[in-house]
Amino acid sequence: MEACKILYLGGEGEIVEKKSRFIATTRPVKSEEEAVAFVEEIKKKYWDARHNCYAWVIGEQGQLSRCSDDGEPAQTAGRPMLDVLLGEGIRDACVVVTRYFGGTLLGTGGLVRAYSGAVQEGLRHSVVVERLSGRQLRIFTDYNGIGKIQYVAGQWEIPVLNTEYTDQVAITMLAPLNKAEQLIAQVTERTAGKAQIEDEGLVYYGMAKGELILF
């Protein structure tokens, strides 16, 4: 998988245009079934609203996407909402914008700006994470090699996921894909080939609010 932005935590944001309220609610989704269920959930929550327009993008390449104007003039709500998600490069995301009509018509351009702006406000209250690819490496060393390996990890800014101490030390690291081979070479050199390194495979990760997350 290539690096892409993923909606990690959903949120809610609201804007007001000429007394009309536009409430944007976002949620991470992995399938169209999840997206449909989320849309229905919001429609029930805001059952008295005039419109519940939606858009979703699912898949690394945005293979699945859909949008709805839900009674607004064609191309004034759903498509602009979808364009915001696509323009931001966000995947696995669904957004519903609920409109409570304020009594004043906004016109085609006003609706496009309002629905786009509501999605942007909703995303500001969400957590979007860049999903990256890496290799999970498990390194076995004697106690003399711990400091050398920790030095390499610090120098390369490599996250240490776990350290186990028995008769030897097992250190599990997450190496970005473009650093994995160099890290292995550095660890081998620093420990004079004494460290044993197991490649436990490809993993996907990101940073959310300063914390490492695994997908």
Side-chain angles (χ1 to χ4, degrees):
M1 294 184 184
E2 298 177 0
C4 62
K5 294 179 182 178
I6 299 293
L7 181 64
Y8 181 62
L9 293 175
E12 183 180 293
E14 179 178 338
I15 65 171
V16 177
E17 292 289 340
K18 295 182 179 179
K19 298 183 180 181
S20 279
R21 295 175 61 203
F22 294 84
I23 306 166
T25 311
T26 68
R27 181 173 294 178
V29 291
K30 294 289 187 182
S31 67
E32 288 192 315
E33 290 75 16
E34 286 184 21
V36 169
F38 171 56
V39 171
E40 290 304 314
E41 176 187 324
I42 296 301
K43 284 184 175 181
K44 289 179 182 178
K45 178 179 179 180
Y46 296 112
W47 59 271
D48 57 340
R50 178 168 292 193
H51 306 283
N52 283 288
C53 307
Y54 63 82
W56 69 66
V57 183
I58 301 170
E60 180 188 351
Q61 304 296 331
Q63 298 96 318
L64 301 175
S65 64
R66 188 175 174 185
C67 61
S68 169
D69 296 310
D70 192 36
E72 293 282 27
Q75 305 296 308
T76 63
R79 185 67 220 189
M81 292 167 59
L82 181 60
D83 286 343
V84 172
L85 296 179
L86 294 173
E88 295 287 339
I90 297 173
R91 303 291 184 260
D92 295 348
C94 181
V95 59
V96 181
V97 175
T98 302
R99 182 188 183 189
Y100 284 94
F101 185 56
T104 302
L105 296 176
L106 300 183
T108 300
L111 286 172
V112 170
R113 288 190 295 273
Y115 278 100
S116 299
V119 175
Q120 291 165 347
E121 185 66 16
L123 290 174
R124 276 193 284 272
H125 291 82
S126 307
V127 178
V128 177
V129 175
E130 184 178 12
R131 189 195 63 196
L132 304 170
S133 302
R135 311 294 303 188
Q136 184 165 303
L137 305 177
R138 190 170 168 84
I139 304 172
F140 298 89
T141 180
D142 57 28
Y143 281 78
N144 293 326
I146 299 174
K148 298 172 184 177
I149 295 171
Q150 289 174 335
Y151 173 80
V152 172
Q155 188 179 43
W156 288 76
E157 298 181 340
I158 302 297
V160 175
L161 302 180
N162 188 42
T163 305
E164 300 173 34
Y165 298 92
T166 55
D167 57 329
Q168 61 178 346
V169 182
I171 304 171
T172 304
M173 294 183 178
L174 176 56
L177 211 54
N178 62 348
K179 293 182 179 180
E181 294 302 323
Q182 294 164 297
L183 175 67
I184 291 171
Q186 282 283 308
V187 168
T188 301
E189 180 182 335
R190 289 273 179 178
T191 62
K194 294 181 179 179
Q196 296 180 332
I197 305 172
E198 294 182 358
D199 187 339
E200 297 189 323
L202 194 63
V203 293
Y204 304 102
Y205 69 98
M207 298 296 295
K209 297 182 177 180
E211 294 186 6
L212 178 71
I213 57 171
L214 299 177
F215 293 99

